[in-house]
Structures are given as structure tokens and as C-alpha cells.
Amino acid sequence: MKNKNDSTAVPDTGHVWDDNLRELTNQPPRWWMVTLYLSGLFILGYFILYPAIPLATGYTKGVLDWTQMKRFNESVKQIEAVRAPFENKLKGMSALAILDDQELSTYTVRSVKVLFGDRCAPCHGVGGAGNPGYPILADDDWLYGGSIDAIQDSITDGREGMMPAFGPILSEQELNDLTQHVIALSQGTEHAVGKTLFEDQGCSGCHGEDGKGEQMVGGANLTDGIWRFSPGTEDSIKYTIVHGVNEPDAAESRQAIMPGFEKQLSEAEIKKLAVYVHKLGGGQ
Ligand code: HEC
Ligand code: HEC
């Protein structure tokens, strides 16, 4: 049988050590050489076709004139081409009409989600789930109303609910009674003395006689157990009553300012956001 490792048949370089240790000149296998030359050709082709070699000021551009930016712009164009028929349709429609159109409203929700994430989620939380001090948009508890028009108005013009600071005009006892009434309202009952004060002090003007809120002025619903100014404990309720909300002169006042987006976003974007918010689950 032929010894596959018989080295005497292989030519050597002439170097011999220790009597019989020869340096052989084995050629690499053919497939290996072919692959090597092919890769060389591939690199050459690549250098000719694509941007490759850095120069002092710039780089070789390649005959295809390919750039990452061009490729990116092409994909953007492709996406825009898919969106165009929808976007054109949306332009002439009211938010309400979009909402009524199953296909368009589904498109709207998907395409505007990123914008909501960029512009609204920092305050209202991902998917409108709310953050401490900022209203939840995904429930059916609305300060200004959950109709599509009210939502669109909120986004276009912004909102800034005002509640005066009652600290200076209430006695300690009155403050306690009012606080107890607010707590009672959230539990579905009422506090007799507090209830009278609630009307006498004008709380009912903004929060409604029954405490369910007045959407005209953004007066919160106090009966639902949902607290904007968390944690909604006796102390935090007292704080709101004493310092008010958005009181211009009081530094300790609660802040609740929704910026208007009329100048920052296009009308179409606002319309789409209104549909998105409405469809988060709480639209009326
Ligand atoms: C800087 C924080 C902030 C940003 C950003 C913001 N909002 Fe608001 N938003 C608020 C606050 C605060 C209120 C409540 C205002 C009040 O209490 O009077 C509010 C109220 C609202 C309301 C009314 C809620 C209700 O219960 O009636 C809607 C709708 C709304 N925001 C949608 C949006 C959308 C859509 C965006 C993104 C384009 C957005 N907001 C961006 C802070 C913000
Ligand atoms: C001029 C209108 C106005 C009057 C009067 C008013 N409020 Fe308010 N109140 C508001 C607004 C606006 C808010 C903030 C709603 C929001 O942005 O979530 C608020 C918030 C509150 C909150 C916090 C609710 C929460 O979810 O954390 C409490 C509690 C409250 N008011 C109690 C009272 C009491 C008690 C009185 C009477 C002493 C009173 N308010 C009078 C407009 C008013």
C-alpha cells in the first residue's frame, strides 16, 4: 500500500537538519489556490465598483456611485410611496372621518406611533399610560373631554388648567373639612361640613357639585380615585388645595401645563395624533 505520508517523493528546499530533517516544498491544494485568486478578483472588482480607498481629501467613489445615504434615501422613498395613497386621502378628511374609516384609522395608529413616542411619551408615558403629574391618555377619565374634537383641541392649542391657591383664605378647620370631603368623594360618599364648604368656596364651579369635574375648565373628576398629583393621600390633597394648580404667583403651586403643538407639528400630524390618542382606549 502506498504511504500517503511518504515524504521522500516530495521535493525539498535543500535544507537538511539533524541528518534527515528536510524542509519540504509542498504546494497548497489547487482548490485553495483557486479560492485565493478568486478572492483577489472579488476585492479588485469591489474596489472598482464601490467606494473603497481613503485619499487625502475624500475617497475613491467607485463606478457604481453607491453611497449609504443614497440607499437610505431610496428606502425612504419606497416607504413614502407605500404611504402616499393613505396620506393623500387623510389630508382632506376630518379626524372624525378618519376614525370612522377602519382601514385609515388602522394605518394612522401604526404610522403615528413613533411621533407619539418622540413628542408625547416623555410626559404622558409609553402608549399614554401616564407619568406622575401627567394625565393618563389611555383611560376614559378626561379633564377636557375624550371626544375626537376635544382631543384635537388639546393637542393644537395646549391646556393649562388653573386652580387658585386656597391656602391664604381657608382656616385650618376648613382645610381639614374640605380635604375630608375630597377623600370621601373618591370613596363614593361625602363629608357633610366639607360638602357645604365645597360649594361656598367655589370648588364646585370647577369640579362640579357632585365632584365629577367640569371639562370646560379642566377641573379634575375627584370621584374616580385617579390622582393626577400623586400619591393622593391626605397630605398631597391638602397640598393641592393650599397651593393651587398653575398659580402664576405661587412657586409651590402644582404645575400642569400641556404645551400647544400648533407651531411644531403639521395639521395632518395633529389630526393623526388625535386619532391615535382616541384609539388608545378612552375615546368617547
Ligand atoms: C411637557 C409635557 C407634555 C407634553 C410633551 C405633552 N403633554 Fe399632553 N398634557 C400635559 C399636561 C400637564 C396635561 C394636563 C393639562 C392640565 O391639567 O390642564 C396634558 C393634557 C393632554 C390632553 C388632555 C387630556 C384630558 O384628560 O383631557 C391630551 C389629549 C394630551 N395632553 C395629548 C398630548 C399629545 C398627543 C402630546 C404629543 C403631541 C402631548 N400631549 C404632549 C403635558 C404634556
Ligand atoms: C378655577 C377652577 C378651580 C377651582 C375653583 C378649584 N379647582 Fe381644584 N382643580 C382645578 C384644576 C384645573 C385642577 C387640575 C386638574 C389636573 O390638571 O389634573 C384641580 C385639581 C384639584 C385636585 C387634585 C386632583 C388630582 O387628581 O390630584 C384637588 C384635590 C382639587 N382640585 C380640589 C379642589 C378643592 C377642594 C377646591 C375648592 C377649595 C378646588 N379644587 C377649587 C380647578 C379648580
PDB file of all heavy atoms in Angstrom, residues 116 119-120 123-124 133-137 141-145 151 154-155 159-161 218 228 246 255-259 261 265 273 277, ligand 1:
ATOM      1  N   PHE A 116     -45.722  59.896  18.413  1.00  0.00           N
ATOM      2  CA  PHE A 116     -46.225  59.961  19.792  1.00  0.00           C
ATOM      3  C   PHE A 116     -45.091  59.638  20.761  1.00  0.00           C
ATOM      4  O   PHE A 116     -44.904  60.319  21.771  1.00  0.00           O
ATOM      5  CB  PHE A 116     -47.385  58.985  19.994  1.00  0.00           C
ATOM      6  CG  PHE A 116     -48.020  59.115  21.365  1.00  0.00           C
ATOM      7  CD1 PHE A 116     -49.054  60.006  21.586  1.00  0.00           C
ATOM      8  CD2 PHE A 116     -47.550  58.360  22.434  1.00  0.00           C
ATOM      9  CE1 PHE A 116     -49.610  60.142  22.853  1.00  0.00           C
ATOM     10  CE2 PHE A 116     -48.100  58.493  23.702  1.00  0.00           C
ATOM     11  CZ  PHE A 116     -49.135  59.384  23.904  1.00  0.00           C
ATOM     12  N   ARG A 119     -42.720  62.801  20.821  1.00  0.00           N
ATOM     13  CA  ARG A 119     -43.197  64.101  21.268  1.00  0.00           C
ATOM     14  C   ARG A 119     -44.092  64.054  22.495  1.00  0.00           C
ATOM     15  O   ARG A 119     -44.219  65.045  23.195  1.00  0.00           O
ATOM     16  CB  ARG A 119     -43.971  64.808  20.126  1.00  0.00           C
ATOM     17  CG  ARG A 119     -43.218  64.836  18.831  1.00  0.00           C
ATOM     18  CD  ARG A 119     -41.863  65.521  18.992  1.00  0.00           C
ATOM     19  NE  ARG A 119     -41.991  66.941  19.189  1.00  0.00           N
ATOM     20  CZ  ARG A 119     -41.934  67.838  18.214  1.00  0.00           C
ATOM     21  NH1 ARG A 119     -41.751  67.466  16.983  1.00  0.00           N
ATOM     22  NH2 ARG A 119     -42.046  69.125  18.479  1.00  0.00           N
ATOM     23  N   CYS A 120     -44.766  62.964  22.736  1.00  0.00           N
ATOM     24  CA  CYS A 120     -45.784  62.938  23.781  1.00  0.00           C
ATOM     25  C   CYS A 120     -45.407  62.021  24.938  1.00  0.00           C
ATOM     26  O   CYS A 120     -45.669  62.337  26.102  1.00  0.00           O
ATOM     27  CB  CYS A 120     -47.130  62.497  23.215  1.00  0.00           C
ATOM     28  SG  CYS A 120     -47.487  63.177  21.583  1.00  0.00           S
ATOM     29  N   CYS A 123     -43.869  62.945  28.488  1.00  0.00           N
ATOM     30  CA  CYS A 123     -44.759  63.388  29.565  1.00  0.00           C
ATOM     31  C   CYS A 123     -45.857  62.343  29.849  1.00  0.00           C
ATOM     32  O   CYS A 123     -46.126  62.019  30.995  1.00  0.00           O
ATOM     33  CB  CYS A 123     -45.427  64.712  29.214  1.00  0.00           C
ATOM     34  SG  CYS A 123     -44.286  66.105  29.256  1.00  0.00           S
ATOM     35  N   HIS A 124     -46.489  61.854  28.794  1.00  0.00           N
ATOM     36  CA  HIS A 124     -47.676  61.014  29.009  1.00  0.00           C
ATOM     37  C   HIS A 124     -47.369  59.527  29.129  1.00  0.00           C
ATOM     38  O   HIS A 124     -48.284  58.725  29.286  1.00  0.00           O
ATOM     39  CB  HIS A 124     -48.680  61.223  27.874  1.00  0.00           C
ATOM     40  CG  HIS A 124     -49.319  62.578  27.900  1.00  0.00           C
ATOM     41  ND1 HIS A 124     -50.245  62.931  28.854  1.00  0.00           N
ATOM     42  CD2 HIS A 124     -49.152  63.666  27.123  1.00  0.00           C
ATOM     43  CE1 HIS A 124     -50.638  64.186  28.636  1.00  0.00           C
ATOM     44  NE2 HIS A 124     -49.984  64.663  27.606  1.00  0.00           N
ATOM     45  N   GLY A 133     -47.863  63.186  37.735  1.00  0.00           N
ATOM     46  CA  GLY A 133     -48.016  64.595  37.390  1.00  0.00           C
ATOM     47  C   GLY A 133     -48.515  64.842  35.978  1.00  0.00           C
ATOM     48  O   GLY A 133     -48.769  65.972  35.596  1.00  0.00           O
ATOM     49  N   TYR A 134     -48.635  63.801  35.179  1.00  0.00           N
ATOM     50  CA  TYR A 134     -49.139  63.965  33.809  1.00  0.00           C
ATOM     51  C   TYR A 134     -50.302  63.010  33.576  1.00  0.00           C
ATOM     52  O   TYR A 134     -50.262  61.863  34.009  1.00  0.00           O
ATOM     53  CB  TYR A 134     -48.029  63.679  32.793  1.00  0.00           C
ATOM     54  CG  TYR A 134     -46.889  64.642  32.927  1.00  0.00           C
ATOM     55  CD1 TYR A 134     -45.722  64.265  33.564  1.00  0.00           C
ATOM     56  CD2 TYR A 134     -47.012  65.950  32.463  1.00  0.00           C
ATOM     57  CE1 TYR A 134     -44.674  65.166  33.718  1.00  0.00           C
ATOM     58  CE2 TYR A 134     -45.971  66.849  32.614  1.00  0.00           C
ATOM     59  CZ  TYR A 134     -44.808  66.457  33.236  1.00  0.00           C
ATOM     60  OH  TYR A 134     -43.786  67.347  33.398  1.00  0.00           O
ATOM     61  N   PRO A 135     -51.342  63.515  32.902  1.00  0.00           N
ATOM     62  CA  PRO A 135     -52.535  62.664  32.800  1.00  0.00           C
ATOM     63  C   PRO A 135     -52.332  61.424  31.930  1.00  0.00           C
ATOM     64  O   PRO A 135     -51.583  61.453  30.956  1.00  0.00           O
ATOM     65  CB  PRO A 135     -53.586  63.592  32.173  1.00  0.00           C
ATOM     66  CG  PRO A 135     -52.830  64.707  31.568  1.00  0.00           C
ATOM     67  CD  PRO A 135     -51.517  64.825  32.279  1.00  0.00           C
ATOM     68  N   ILE A 136     -53.022  60.357  32.324  1.00  0.00           N
ATOM     69  CA  ILE A 136     -53.095  59.146  31.517  1.00  0.00           C
ATOM     70  C   ILE A 136     -53.971  59.451  30.306  1.00  0.00           C
ATOM     71  O   ILE A 136     -55.014  60.081  30.445  1.00  0.00           O
ATOM     72  CB  ILE A 136     -53.750  58.013  32.347  1.00  0.00           C
ATOM     73  CG1 ILE A 136     -52.945  57.750  33.608  1.00  0.00           C
ATOM     74  CG2 ILE A 136     -53.912  56.744  31.519  1.00  0.00           C
ATOM     75  CD1 ILE A 136     -53.660  56.854  34.614  1.00  0.00           C
ATOM     76  N   LEU A 137     -53.531  59.013  29.131  1.00  0.00           N
ATOM     77  CA  LEU A 137     -54.368  59.246  27.944  1.00  0.00           C
ATOM     78  C   LEU A 137     -55.072  57.967  27.507  1.00  0.00           C
ATOM     79  O   LEU A 137     -55.883  57.979  26.597  1.00  0.00           O
ATOM     80  CB  LEU A 137     -53.515  59.782  26.791  1.00  0.00           C
ATOM     81  CG  LEU A 137     -52.811  61.122  27.051  1.00  0.00           C
ATOM     82  CD1 LEU A 137     -51.976  61.517  25.854  1.00  0.00           C
ATOM     83  CD2 LEU A 137     -53.817  62.212  27.384  1.00  0.00           C
ATOM     84  N   ASP A 141     -60.903  58.663  31.596  1.00  0.00           N
ATOM     85  CA  ASP A 141     -61.017  59.777  32.527  1.00  0.00           C
ATOM     86  C   ASP A 141     -60.404  61.000  31.849  1.00  0.00           C
ATOM     87  O   ASP A 141     -59.198  61.055  31.620  1.00  0.00           O
ATOM     88  CB  ASP A 141     -60.222  59.416  33.798  1.00  0.00           C
ATOM     89  CG  ASP A 141     -60.261  60.539  34.824  1.00  0.00           C
ATOM     90  OD1 ASP A 141     -61.369  60.980  35.153  1.00  0.00           O
ATOM     91  OD2 ASP A 141     -59.184  60.967  35.284  1.00  0.00           O
ATOM     92  N   TRP A 142     -61.268  61.957  31.478  1.00  0.00           N
ATOM     93  CA  TRP A 142     -60.777  63.103  30.709  1.00  0.00           C
ATOM     94  C   TRP A 142     -60.943  64.395  31.464  1.00  0.00           C
ATOM     95  O   TRP A 142     -61.999  64.653  32.034  1.00  0.00           O
ATOM     96  CB  TRP A 142     -61.536  63.210  29.379  1.00  0.00           C
ATOM     97  CG  TRP A 142     -61.286  62.053  28.488  1.00  0.00           C
ATOM     98  CD1 TRP A 142     -62.102  60.965  28.323  1.00  0.00           C
ATOM     99  CD2 TRP A 142     -60.146  61.830  27.674  1.00  0.00           C
ATOM    100  NE1 TRP A 142     -61.527  60.089  27.449  1.00  0.00           N
ATOM    101  CE2 TRP A 142     -60.329  60.597  27.026  1.00  0.00           C
ATOM    102  CE3 TRP A 142     -58.982  62.554  27.412  1.00  0.00           C
ATOM    103  CZ2 TRP A 142     -59.392  60.063  26.140  1.00  0.00           C
ATOM    104  CZ3 TRP A 142     -58.055  62.032  26.531  1.00  0.00           C
ATOM    105  CH2 TRP A 142     -58.263  60.806  25.906  1.00  0.00           C
ATOM    106  N   LEU A 143     -59.906  65.231  31.451  1.00  0.00           N
ATOM    107  CA  LEU A 143     -60.021  66.561  32.035  1.00  0.00           C
ATOM    108  C   LEU A 143     -60.823  67.463  31.114  1.00  0.00           C
ATOM    109  O   LEU A 143     -61.660  68.246  31.543  1.00  0.00           O
ATOM    110  CB  LEU A 143     -58.625  67.166  32.224  1.00  0.00           C
ATOM    111  CG  LEU A 143     -57.761  66.548  33.318  1.00  0.00           C
ATOM    112  CD1 LEU A 143     -56.304  66.937  33.126  1.00  0.00           C
ATOM    113  CD2 LEU A 143     -58.263  66.999  34.673  1.00  0.00           C
ATOM    114  N   TYR A 144     -60.540  67.354  29.816  1.00  0.00           N
ATOM    115  CA  TYR A 144     -61.138  68.289  28.857  1.00  0.00           C
ATOM    116  C   TYR A 144     -62.070  67.604  27.874  1.00  0.00           C
ATOM    117  O   TYR A 144     -62.529  68.216  26.918  1.00  0.00           O
ATOM    118  CB  TYR A 144     -60.022  69.016  28.088  1.00  0.00           C
ATOM    119  CG  TYR A 144     -59.169  69.847  29.012  1.00  0.00           C
ATOM    120  CD1 TYR A 144     -58.011  69.328  29.567  1.00  0.00           C
ATOM    121  CD2 TYR A 144     -59.547  71.142  29.363  1.00  0.00           C
ATOM    122  CE1 TYR A 144     -57.234  70.081  30.433  1.00  0.00           C
ATOM    123  CE2 TYR A 144     -58.779  71.894  30.230  1.00  0.00           C
ATOM    124  CZ  TYR A 144     -57.620  71.358  30.758  1.00  0.00           C
ATOM    125  OH  TYR A 144     -56.868  72.100  31.621  1.00  0.00           O
ATOM    126  N   GLY A 145     -62.296  66.322  28.068  1.00  0.00           N
ATOM    127  CA  GLY A 145     -63.229  65.613  27.190  1.00  0.00           C
ATOM    128  C   GLY A 145     -62.500  64.663  26.264  1.00  0.00           C
ATOM    129  O   GLY A 145     -61.403  64.949  25.803  1.00  0.00           O
ATOM    130  N   ILE A 151     -59.929  66.253  21.971  1.00  0.00           N
ATOM    131  CA  ILE A 151     -58.537  65.778  21.993  1.00  0.00           C
ATOM    132  C   ILE A 151     -57.699  66.586  21.003  1.00  0.00           C
ATOM    133  O   ILE A 151     -56.597  67.035  21.306  1.00  0.00           O
ATOM    134  CB  ILE A 151     -58.473  64.268  21.648  1.00  0.00           C
ATOM    135  CG1 ILE A 151     -59.181  63.457  22.736  1.00  0.00           C
ATOM    136  CG2 ILE A 151     -57.031  63.805  21.501  1.00  0.00           C
ATOM    137  CD1 ILE A 151     -59.340  61.978  22.421  1.00  0.00           C
ATOM    138  N   SER A 154     -56.954  69.886  22.454  1.00  0.00           N
ATOM    139  CA  SER A 154     -55.925  69.798  23.494  1.00  0.00           C
ATOM    140  C   SER A 154     -54.542  69.815  22.867  1.00  0.00           C
ATOM    141  O   SER A 154     -53.630  70.482  23.356  1.00  0.00           O
ATOM    142  CB  SER A 154     -56.068  68.502  24.315  1.00  0.00           C
ATOM    143  OG  SER A 154     -57.255  68.495  25.072  1.00  0.00           O
ATOM    144  N   ILE A 155     -54.372  69.060  21.774  1.00  0.00           N
ATOM    145  CA  ILE A 155     -53.040  68.948  21.164  1.00  0.00           C
ATOM    146  C   ILE A 155     -52.678  70.234  20.419  1.00  0.00           C
ATOM    147  O   ILE A 155     -51.558  70.725  20.505  1.00  0.00           O
ATOM    148  CB  ILE A 155     -52.986  67.750  20.186  1.00  0.00           C
ATOM    149  CG1 ILE A 155     -53.409  66.459  20.898  1.00  0.00           C
ATOM    150  CG2 ILE A 155     -51.583  67.583  19.620  1.00  0.00           C
ATOM    151  CD1 ILE A 155     -53.596  65.273  19.980  1.00  0.00           C
ATOM    152  N   ARG A 159     -53.150  72.993  26.923  1.00  0.00           N
ATOM    153  CA  ARG A 159     -54.125  73.161  28.014  1.00  0.00           C
ATOM    154  C   ARG A 159     -53.377  73.627  29.248  1.00  0.00           C
ATOM    155  O   ARG A 159     -52.240  73.221  29.476  1.00  0.00           O
ATOM    156  CB  ARG A 159     -54.794  71.829  28.343  1.00  0.00           C
ATOM    157  CG  ARG A 159     -55.581  71.187  27.219  1.00  0.00           C
ATOM    158  CD  ARG A 159     -56.899  71.861  26.977  1.00  0.00           C
ATOM    159  NE  ARG A 159     -57.774  71.056  26.109  1.00  0.00           N
ATOM    160  CZ  ARG A 159     -58.936  71.491  25.651  1.00  0.00           C
ATOM    161  NH1 ARG A 159     -59.377  72.700  25.954  1.00  0.00           N
ATOM    162  NH2 ARG A 159     -59.679  70.719  24.880  1.00  0.00           N
ATOM    163  N   GLU A 160     -54.047  74.444  29.999  1.00  0.00           N
ATOM    164  CA  GLU A 160     -53.418  74.898  31.229  1.00  0.00           C
ATOM    165  C   GLU A 160     -54.508  75.145  32.259  1.00  0.00           C
ATOM    166  O   GLU A 160     -54.981  76.271  32.430  1.00  0.00           O
ATOM    167  CB  GLU A 160     -52.619  76.174  30.950  1.00  0.00           C
ATOM    168  CG  GLU A 160     -51.667  76.496  32.071  1.00  0.00           C
ATOM    169  CD  GLU A 160     -50.722  77.649  31.711  1.00  0.00           C
ATOM    170  OE1 GLU A 160     -50.472  77.862  30.508  1.00  0.00           O
ATOM    171  OE2 GLU A 160     -50.259  78.320  32.638  1.00  0.00           O
ATOM    172  N   GLY A 161     -54.919  74.081  32.931  1.00  0.00           N
ATOM    173  CA  GLY A 161     -55.981  74.195  33.929  1.00  0.00           C
ATOM    174  C   GLY A 161     -55.514  75.059  35.090  1.00  0.00           C
ATOM    175  O   GLY A 161     -54.351  74.978  35.485  1.00  0.00           O
ATOM    176  N   GLY A 218     -61.373  72.136  32.729  1.00  0.00           N
ATOM    177  CA  GLY A 218     -60.342  71.138  33.054  1.00  0.00           C
ATOM    178  C   GLY A 218     -60.309  70.789  34.526  1.00  0.00           C
ATOM    179  O   GLY A 218     -59.304  70.273  35.016  1.00  0.00           O
ATOM    180  N   ARG A 228     -54.028  62.816  39.852  1.00  0.00           N
ATOM    181  CA  ARG A 228     -53.010  63.401  38.992  1.00  0.00           C
ATOM    182  C   ARG A 228     -51.785  63.728  39.821  1.00  0.00           C
ATOM    183  O   ARG A 228     -50.656  63.532  39.415  1.00  0.00           O
ATOM    184  CB  ARG A 228     -53.544  64.695  38.384  1.00  0.00           C
ATOM    185  CG  ARG A 228     -54.054  64.565  36.998  1.00  0.00           C
ATOM    186  CD  ARG A 228     -52.956  64.233  36.037  1.00  0.00           C
ATOM    187  NE  ARG A 228     -52.015  65.341  35.910  1.00  0.00           N
ATOM    188  CZ  ARG A 228     -52.316  66.512  35.404  1.00  0.00           C
ATOM    189  NH1 ARG A 228     -53.513  66.744  34.934  1.00  0.00           N
ATOM    190  NH2 ARG A 228     -51.417  67.460  35.322  1.00  0.00           N
ATOM    191  N   ASN A 246     -51.111  75.622  38.681  1.00  0.00           N
ATOM    192  CA  ASN A 246     -50.693  76.633  37.700  1.00  0.00           C
ATOM    193  C   ASN A 246     -50.954  78.059  38.189  1.00  0.00           C
ATOM    194  O   ASN A 246     -51.288  78.943  37.397  1.00  0.00           O
ATOM    195  CB  ASN A 246     -51.414  76.427  36.361  1.00  0.00           C
ATOM    196  CG  ASN A 246     -50.934  75.178  35.642  1.00  0.00           C
ATOM    197  OD1 ASN A 246     -49.815  74.716  35.840  1.00  0.00           O
ATOM    198  ND2 ASN A 246     -51.790  74.622  34.811  1.00  0.00           N
ATOM    199  N   GLN A 255     -47.834  72.136  38.984  1.00  0.00           N
ATOM    200  CA  GLN A 255     -47.676  72.502  37.576  1.00  0.00           C
ATOM    201  C   GLN A 255     -48.440  71.508  36.705  1.00  0.00           C
ATOM    202  O   GLN A 255     -48.320  70.306  36.894  1.00  0.00           O
ATOM    203  CB  GLN A 255     -46.201  72.457  37.186  1.00  0.00           C
ATOM    204  CG  GLN A 255     -45.328  73.449  37.935  1.00  0.00           C
ATOM    205  CD  GLN A 255     -45.703  74.889  37.629  1.00  0.00           C
ATOM    206  OE1 GLN A 255     -45.873  75.253  36.472  1.00  0.00           O
ATOM    207  NE2 GLN A 255     -45.874  75.705  38.665  1.00  0.00           N
ATOM    208  N   ALA A 256     -49.221  72.028  35.777  1.00  0.00           N
ATOM    209  CA  ALA A 256     -49.957  71.138  34.871  1.00  0.00           C
ATOM    210  C   ALA A 256     -50.130  71.842  33.537  1.00  0.00           C
ATOM    211  O   ALA A 256     -51.193  72.360  33.234  1.00  0.00           O
ATOM    212  CB  ALA A 256     -51.315  70.768  35.469  1.00  0.00           C
ATOM    213  N   ILE A 257     -49.048  71.901  32.771  1.00  0.00           N
ATOM    214  CA  ILE A 257     -49.134  72.627  31.509  1.00  0.00           C
ATOM    215  C   ILE A 257     -48.927  71.676  30.332  1.00  0.00           C
ATOM    216  O   ILE A 257     -47.923  70.993  30.246  1.00  0.00           O
ATOM    217  CB  ILE A 257     -48.083  73.759  31.451  1.00  0.00           C
ATOM    218  CG1 ILE A 257     -48.371  74.752  32.572  1.00  0.00           C
ATOM    219  CG2 ILE A 257     -48.107  74.445  30.093  1.00  0.00           C
ATOM    220  CD1 ILE A 257     -47.319  75.818  32.745  1.00  0.00           C
ATOM    221  N   MET A 258     -49.919  71.651  29.490  1.00  0.00           N
ATOM    222  CA  MET A 258     -49.815  70.873  28.247  1.00  0.00           C
ATOM    223  C   MET A 258     -49.442  71.866  27.147  1.00  0.00           C
ATOM    224  O   MET A 258     -50.199  72.775  26.849  1.00  0.00           O
ATOM    225  CB  MET A 258     -51.168  70.214  27.964  1.00  0.00           C
ATOM    226  CG  MET A 258     -51.408  69.824  26.525  1.00  0.00           C
ATOM    227  SD  MET A 258     -50.519  68.321  26.076  1.00  0.00           S
ATOM    228  CE  MET A 258     -50.795  68.317  24.309  1.00  0.00           C
ATOM    229  N   PRO A 259     -48.238  71.731  26.556  1.00  0.00           N
ATOM    230  CA  PRO A 259     -47.848  72.690  25.512  1.00  0.00           C
ATOM    231  C   PRO A 259     -48.705  72.518  24.259  1.00  0.00           C
ATOM    232  O   PRO A 259     -49.101  71.407  23.946  1.00  0.00           O
ATOM    233  CB  PRO A 259     -46.384  72.327  25.232  1.00  0.00           C
ATOM    234  CG  PRO A 259     -46.203  70.925  25.718  1.00  0.00           C
ATOM    235  CD  PRO A 259     -47.237  70.666  26.764  1.00  0.00           C
ATOM    236  N   PHE A 261     -49.225  72.331  20.234  1.00  0.00           N
ATOM    237  CA  PHE A 261     -48.314  71.824  19.203  1.00  0.00           C
ATOM    238  C   PHE A 261     -48.598  72.421  17.828  1.00  0.00           C
ATOM    239  O   PHE A 261     -48.087  71.955  16.819  1.00  0.00           O
ATOM    240  CB  PHE A 261     -48.377  70.297  19.143  1.00  0.00           C
ATOM    241  CG  PHE A 261     -47.609  69.642  20.258  1.00  0.00           C
ATOM    242  CD1 PHE A 261     -48.204  69.413  21.491  1.00  0.00           C
ATOM    243  CD2 PHE A 261     -46.284  69.301  20.090  1.00  0.00           C
ATOM    244  CE1 PHE A 261     -47.494  68.835  22.533  1.00  0.00           C
ATOM    245  CE2 PHE A 261     -45.553  68.716  21.125  1.00  0.00           C
ATOM    246  CZ  PHE A 261     -46.167  68.482  22.340  1.00  0.00           C
ATOM    247  N   LEU A 265     -46.038  70.987  14.930  1.00  0.00           N
ATOM    248  CA  LEU A 265     -46.459  69.843  14.114  1.00  0.00           C
ATOM    249  C   LEU A 265     -47.397  70.321  13.010  1.00  0.00           C
ATOM    250  O   LEU A 265     -48.057  71.356  13.153  1.00  0.00           O
ATOM    251  CB  LEU A 265     -47.184  68.814  14.990  1.00  0.00           C
ATOM    252  CG  LEU A 265     -46.378  68.176  16.133  1.00  0.00           C
ATOM    253  CD1 LEU A 265     -47.270  67.277  16.964  1.00  0.00           C
ATOM    254  CD2 LEU A 265     -45.200  67.385  15.594  1.00  0.00           C
ATOM    255  N   LEU A 273     -52.423  62.274  15.461  1.00  0.00           N
ATOM    256  CA  LEU A 273     -52.199  62.054  16.891  1.00  0.00           C
ATOM    257  C   LEU A 273     -53.528  61.996  17.651  1.00  0.00           C
ATOM    258  O   LEU A 273     -53.690  61.207  18.579  1.00  0.00           O
ATOM    259  CB  LEU A 273     -51.311  63.162  17.470  1.00  0.00           C
ATOM    260  CG  LEU A 273     -49.820  63.014  17.187  1.00  0.00           C
ATOM    261  CD1 LEU A 273     -49.071  64.281  17.544  1.00  0.00           C
ATOM    262  CD2 LEU A 273     -49.230  61.827  17.946  1.00  0.00           C
ATOM    263  N   VAL A 277     -54.624  58.982  19.985  1.00  0.00           N
ATOM    264  CA  VAL A 277     -54.984  59.107  21.400  1.00  0.00           C
ATOM    265  C   VAL A 277     -56.402  58.578  21.634  1.00  0.00           C
ATOM    266  O   VAL A 277     -56.654  57.834  22.583  1.00  0.00           O
ATOM    267  CB  VAL A 277     -54.874  60.585  21.877  1.00  0.00           C
ATOM    268  CG1 VAL A 277     -55.463  60.753  23.262  1.00  0.00           C
ATOM    269  CG2 VAL A 277     -53.419  61.037  21.862  1.00  0.00           C
TER     270      VAL A 277
HETATM  271  C1  HEC B   1     -44.357  68.824  28.716  1.00  0.00           C
HETATM  272  C2  HEC B   1     -45.252  67.734  28.972  1.00  0.00           C
HETATM  273  C3  HEC B   1     -46.273  67.362  27.916  1.00  0.00           C
HETATM  274  C4  HEC B   1     -46.065  67.007  26.610  1.00  0.00           C
HETATM  275  C5  HEC B   1     -44.753  66.952  25.835  1.00  0.00           C
HETATM  276  C6  HEC B   1     -47.358  66.644  26.083  1.00  0.00           C
HETATM  277  N1  HEC B   1     -48.320  66.796  27.034  1.00  0.00           N
HETATM  278 FE1  HEC B   1     -50.292  66.439  26.799  1.00  0.00          FE
HETATM  279  N2  HEC B   1     -50.637  67.163  28.665  1.00  0.00           N
HETATM  280  C7  HEC B   1     -49.677  67.551  29.577  1.00  0.00           C
HETATM  281  C8  HEC B   1     -50.318  68.028  30.789  1.00  0.00           C
HETATM  282  C9  HEC B   1     -49.610  68.533  32.037  1.00  0.00           C
HETATM  283  C10 HEC B   1     -51.710  67.946  30.559  1.00  0.00           C
HETATM  284  C11 HEC B   1     -52.823  68.343  31.540  1.00  0.00           C
HETATM  285  C12 HEC B   1     -53.040  69.825  31.456  1.00  0.00           C
HETATM  286  C13 HEC B   1     -53.942  70.301  32.559  1.00  0.00           C
HETATM  287  O1  HEC B   1     -54.018  69.643  33.582  1.00  0.00           O
HETATM  288  O2  HEC B   1     -54.560  71.354  32.380  1.00  0.00           O
HETATM  289  C14 HEC B   1     -51.878  67.375  29.232  1.00  0.00           C
HETATM  290  C15 HEC B   1     -53.104  67.119  28.652  1.00  0.00           C
HETATM  291  C16 HEC B   1     -53.274  66.470  27.440  1.00  0.00           C
HETATM  292  C17 HEC B   1     -54.548  66.097  26.884  1.00  0.00           C
HETATM  293  C18 HEC B   1     -55.894  66.325  27.543  1.00  0.00           C
HETATM  294  C19 HEC B   1     -56.163  65.177  28.470  1.00  0.00           C
HETATM  295  C20 HEC B   1     -57.512  65.217  29.113  1.00  0.00           C
HETATM  296  O3  HEC B   1     -57.666  64.464  30.089  1.00  0.00           O
HETATM  297  O4  HEC B   1     -58.406  65.944  28.660  1.00  0.00           O
HETATM  298  C21 HEC B   1     -54.302  65.447  25.694  1.00  0.00           C
HETATM  299  C22 HEC B   1     -55.324  64.844  24.751  1.00  0.00           C
HETATM  300  C23 HEC B   1     -52.870  65.457  25.503  1.00  0.00           C
HETATM  301  N3  HEC B   1     -52.274  66.077  26.574  1.00  0.00           N
HETATM  302  C24 HEC B   1     -52.239  64.902  24.410  1.00  0.00           C
HETATM  303  C25 HEC B   1     -50.884  65.082  24.146  1.00  0.00           C
HETATM  304  C26 HEC B   1     -50.243  64.679  22.914  1.00  0.00           C
HETATM  305  C27 HEC B   1     -50.911  63.953  21.757  1.00  0.00           C
HETATM  306  C28 HEC B   1     -48.936  65.065  23.012  1.00  0.00           C
HETATM  307  C29 HEC B   1     -47.841  64.929  21.961  1.00  0.00           C
HETATM  308  C30 HEC B   1     -48.031  65.677  20.755  1.00  0.00           C
HETATM  309  C31 HEC B   1     -48.767  65.691  24.324  1.00  0.00           C
HETATM  310  N4  HEC B   1     -49.960  65.678  24.970  1.00  0.00           N
HETATM  311  C32 HEC B   1     -47.564  66.193  24.778  1.00  0.00           C
HETATM  312  C33 HEC B   1     -48.316  67.508  29.380  1.00  0.00           C
HETATM  313  C34 HEC B   1     -47.700  67.242  28.173  1.00  0.00           C
END
